Amino acid sequence: MRRVAPTKPRRQPRRRTAAPPDQTKYSQGKFVPRNPEKYRGNLDKITFRSSWELEYNRFLDNNTSILEWSSEEIAIPYVKPTTKRVHRYFPDYWVKYRNKSGQIIQEIIEVKPAKEAYNAIFLIEHDFRVMPQSKSKNPKTRTYEQLTTLVNAAKWKAALDFCHKYGMKFRVVTEHQLFK
C-alpha cells in the first residue's frame, strides 16, 4: 500500500460577483418625486445619471421656490462638430421658479463636473477659436477630453441660442454650486 503525503488544501479562487443594481459604480436610476404636481413631463421617465443629478432632483422637488420642473424633456438641435450632422441635445433640466424679488424665471440647467464645464465654457467664450489645453499626459485621454469639450460646447451654444430665442436662461451647475 502506497502512502500519500498530505497536501495543503487548495485556496478557492475569489468569486467576482456583479454589484447589485443599486450599488453600481455610478449612481443611476429612476426618481420618484414627492411633489409630482410640480413635474412637467412623464413621471415614469424621471431618471438620474449621477449622484449629483439625484441631489439636484431632490432639490427641485422639495424647494418651495421651484414652481415647475422637468428632466431631459426638451430636445434642442445642434450640429455635432465631430460628424457635422444634426443631433438632438436633451439638457438635464428645465426649471421655472420664483426668484427673491418675486420674478418668475425659466432656466435650462446642465449638471456637469467642473473639469468638463470650464473647458467648454472657455471654448464658447472664445468663439471656438481657442481650444483649452488638456493637462493629461496620455495622448488618448487628451484627445477624448478635447472631443468631449468640443461636443459639450456645441450643445451648450445651441442651448444658449434656444434660451435667447424663448426668453430663458442657460446655466451649467458644477459640484462647486451643488455642494456649497
Side-chain angles (χ1 to χ4, degrees), residues 8-21:
K8 286 185 175 179
R10 293 177 103 196
R11 282 181 38 183
Q12 292 293 323
R14 262 183 158 177
R15 287 189 183 174
R16 293 184 180 215
T17 57

Side-chain angles (χ1 to χ4, degrees), residues 133-152:
Q133 292 298 313
S134 173
K135 293 177 183 170
S136 177
K137 293 180 181 177
N138 183 324
K140 286 183 180 179
T141 303
R142 191 170 41 246
T143 300
Y144 174 78
E145 288 173 357
Q146 288 174 335
L147 290 174
T148 301
T149 297
L150 267 174
V151 171
N152 282 341

Side-chain angles (χ1 to χ4, degrees), residues 16 18 57 80 89 93 102 117 126 130 149 159-160:
R16 293 184 180 215
N57 285 351
K80 190 172 183 178
Y89 163 47
Y93 301 99
H126 289 85
V130 180
T149 297
L160 283 165

Side-chain angles (χ1 to χ4, degrees), residues 18-78:
D22 57 336
Q23 294 180 354
T24 55
K25 186 176 177 183
Y26 301 102
S27 183
Q28 298 180 356
K30 299 285 184 193
F31 179 76
V32 179
R34 290 186 178 179
N35 301 295
E37 68 281 356
K38 289 169 58 170
Y39 190 78
R40 297 295 166 254
N42 188 338
L43 286 168
D44 297 328
K45 293 187 178 181
I46 306 174
T47 59
F48 57 92
R49 300 180 198 290
S50 68
S51 58
W52 297 354
E53 287 184 13
L54 175 59
E55 278 302 308
Y56 209 69
N57 285 351
R58 289 178 181 149
F59 167 78
L60 295 172
D61 188 37
N62 296 320
N63 188 314
T64 55
S65 296
I66 305 299
L67 305 173
E68 300 174 16
W69 69 282
S70 67
S71 174
E72 297 185 3
E73 296 282 349
I74 295 174
I76 300 173
Y78 77 101

